[in-house]
Amino acid sequence: MADILKDAQGDDLPELDREVIVLVREYGGYVVCFGHRPVKDRPIITGNGEELFPKVYGKGEWNIPDVAWWVDIDLSIIE
């Protein structure tokens, strides 16, 4: 199993904006989440005309903090 997990702070990262399964360090262990690497230079337009830019975390520039590992699994096989 460990050979399918990839280091979330390494050089082999998913393409920008691709949702993948991530393991986040939390509570002395890991929590399974969905995560992605947002495009930092593309604003998010709110309903009241504001432009917000996403915050990124770690060397991998993830949308959530403390991402340790990631895996890209085709979940369409479950549908």
Side-chain angles (χ1 to χ4, degrees):
M1 171 97 173
D3 51 333
I4 66 168
L5 295 175
K6 298 182 182 181
D7 183 355
Q9 305 306 319
D11 295 325
D12 184 8
L13 297 169
E15 62 190 56
L16 294 176
D17 273 347
R18 175 148 177 91
E19 287 285 331
V20 294
I21 297 171
V22 297
L23 297 179
V24 176
R25 285 190 178 94
E26 202 166 303
Y27 307 115
Y30 296 100
V31 175
V32 178
C33 302
F34 285 101
H36 69 278
R37 300 173 54 238
V39 178
K40 296 184 301 185
D41 301 335
R42 185 173 59 209
I44 300 165
I45 309 298
T46 67
N48 38 337
E50 293 177 296
E51 286 188 357
L52 303 175
F53 290 88
K55 183 173 182 177
V56 296
Y57 300 90
K59 180 184 170 197
E61 298 184 336
W62 293 91
N63 66 315
I64 52 178
D66 302 322
V67 176
W69 302 97
W70 71 277
V71 61
D72 190 4
I73 298 174
D74 182 9
L75 296 177
S76 68
I77 60 173
I78 302 172
E79 295 176 9

